[in-house]
Amino acid sequence: MSLLELRGVSGGYGPVQVLHGLDLTVDEGEVVVILGANGAGKTTTLRAISGMLDDVSGNVFFDAAEITSKAPQAIARAGISHVPQGRGTFGDLTVEDNLRLGAINRRDGGVESDIARWYETFPRLAERRTQAAGSMSGGEQQMLAIARALMARPRILLLDEPSLGLAPLITREVFERLGQINKEDGLAMLVVEQNASLALAIASRGCVLETGRIVASGPADQLMADETVRKAYLGF
Ligand code: ATP
């Protein structure tokens, strides 16, 4: 069984059904990308996984255990860290306090060494460790959101459009770091992203979501070569 597995997942907001029977898997150590136009249901898919959607039917399995509709805290404790769109860091708190909050559920002694480790991966966070998170640039805040999620020592990272609002150079850097973390730690990731070429470059597989249904899926290089995908999401 895959690390994360969605079987026939449907759901939405009250009377509005957004997802229509999604099947999706992420294996241990794998990066999978979800592409799709605005409103296709990408964010809703991540919310269905992390317990933030009220009406979910079908099944979500994580590490062979069913987690469908469990409380967000329980799902986070099971090893799923969600970096939401808009990042969700605490703007008034320092960089370092945000990182500590990411480890709030941990009872092991490795928090300090993990902070040092992520400062090494994201040197700009180290330089700004005593600065209020909200005073940093968008790119730095995105890196903080990722580092904070990593502080929970997750087994999978859910990332919702990490490139949103970032300059191209910074977006590139964010994806380079994600690719590096995936390679070094073998950390699985499920990435929702509009910047298809950068996301597919670090992914092994991807899928395209259209009005809550998966309309194409396959290995990243195949999707990259697919003419429909290229026209719609890669712009060439
Ligand atoms: P985007 O790239 O714009 O974030 P998306 O693919 O992530 O798009 P979702 O955010 O999952 O799409 O939204 C899917 C549909 O659900 C849209 O039609 C949206 O209007 C609707 N929707 C999203 N959030 C809510 C909500 N809280 N209440 C009602 N409808 C919602």
Side-chain angles (χ1 to χ4, degrees), residues 114-162:
D114 280 8
I115 290 178
R117 155 113 207 262
W118 300 125
Y119 278 157
E120 216 169 281
T121 306
F122 300 103
R124 258 177 299 172
L125 297 183
E127 289 162 20
R128 288 159 175 70
R129 65 178 75 192
T130 58
Q131 201 170 314
S135 69
M136 299 198 298
S137 73
E140 288 158 356
Q141 288 189 42
Q142 183 62 57
M143 290 180 205
L144 175 60
I146 293 168
R148 188 186 63 160
L150 291 165
M151 285 302 298
R153 285 206 177 165
R155 296 187 57 203
I156 189 168
L157 211 51
L158 310 183
L159 294 136
D160 197 347
E161 294 202 35

Side-chain angles (χ1 to χ4, degrees), residues 1-7 24-28 30 45-46 49-50 60-65 67 75 80 156-158 188-190 205:
M1 197 174 192
S2 295
L3 178 64
L4 177 71
E5 193 159 329
L6 274 63
R7 285 191 204 151
L24 182 73
T25 60
V26 182
D27 287 333
E28 200 98 47
E30 196 183 26
T45 303
L46 297 189
I49 296 167
S50 55
V60 184
F61 295 96
F62 181 65
D63 202 17
I67 57 162
I75 292 173
I80 298 180
I156 189 168
L157 211 51
L158 310 183
M189 301 181 187
L190 179 60
R205 288 187 298 122

Side-chain angles (χ1 to χ4, degrees), residues 49-146:
I49 296 167
S50 55
M52 294 192 286
L53 197 66
D54 289 337
D55 304 318
V56 181
S57 61
N59 311 89
V60 184
F61 295 96
F62 181 65
D63 202 17
E66 174 135 31
I67 57 162
T68 325
S69 303
K70 284 203 170 167
Q73 296 86 338
I75 292 173
R77 269 198 301 273
I80 298 180
S81 268
H82 189 159
V83 184
Q85 212 177 84
R87 296 150 201 152
T89 50
F90 295 96
D92 293 338
L93 298 184
T94 64
V95 165
E96 192 144 318
D97 284 344
N98 269 281
L99 292 179
R100 282 187 204 289
L101 273 178
I104 200 157
N105 286 323
R106 284 174 55 182
R107 296 287 172 266
D108 62 282
V111 173
E112 296 309 315
S113 59
D114 280 8
I115 290 178
R117 155 113 207 262
W118 300 125
Y119 278 157
E120 216 169 281
T121 306
F122 300 103
R124 258 177 299 172
L125 297 183
E127 289 162 20
R128 288 159 175 70
R129 65 178 75 192
T130 58
Q131 201 170 314
S135 69
M136 299 198 298
S137 73
E140 288 158 356
Q141 288 189 42
Q142 183 62 57
M143 290 180 205
L144 175 60
I146 293 168

Side-chain angles (χ1 to χ4, degrees), residues 12-14 16-19 36-45 47 85 160-161 164 192 194 209:
Y13 307 91
V16 185
Q17 193 181 349
V18 175
L19 308 177
N38 285 336
K42 305 181 299 297
T43 294
T44 307
T45 303
R47 293 172 61 91
Q85 212 177 84
D160 197 347
E161 294 202 35
L164 199 74
V192 160
Q194 300 271 357
L209 208 58

Side-chain angles (χ1 to χ4, degrees), residues 129-236:
R129 65 178 75 192
T130 58
Q131 201 170 314
S135 69
M136 299 198 298
S137 73
E140 288 158 356
Q141 288 189 42
Q142 183 62 57
M143 290 180 205
L144 175 60
I146 293 168
R148 188 186 63 160
L150 291 165
M151 285 302 298
R153 285 206 177 165
R155 296 187 57 203
I156 189 168
L157 211 51
L158 310 183
L159 294 136
D160 197 347
E161 294 202 35
S163 78
L164 199 74
L166 305 188
L169 211 64
I170 306 295
T171 302
R172 192 169 290 277
E173 192 183 335
V174 166
F175 275 96
E176 266 169 25
R177 293 289 166 270
L178 291 174
Q180 178 194 343
I181 292 161
N182 167 254
K183 276 209 184 74
E184 286 175 1
D185 293 51
L187 180 64
M189 301 181 187
L190 179 60
V191 191
V192 160
E193 186 49 60
Q194 300 271 357
N195 195 323
S197 50
L198 277 181
L200 286 172
I202 66 161
S204 54
R205 288 187 298 122
C207 65
V208 178
L209 208 58
E210 230 174 73
T211 55
R213 292 180 177 82
I214 291 173
V215 294
S217 63
D221 49 354
Q222 254 175 48
L223 280 181
M224 204 102 81
D226 182 292
E227 202 174 334
T228 322
V229 173
R230 283 171 59 145
K231 279 203 180 117
Y233 303 103
L234 298 166
F236 61 92

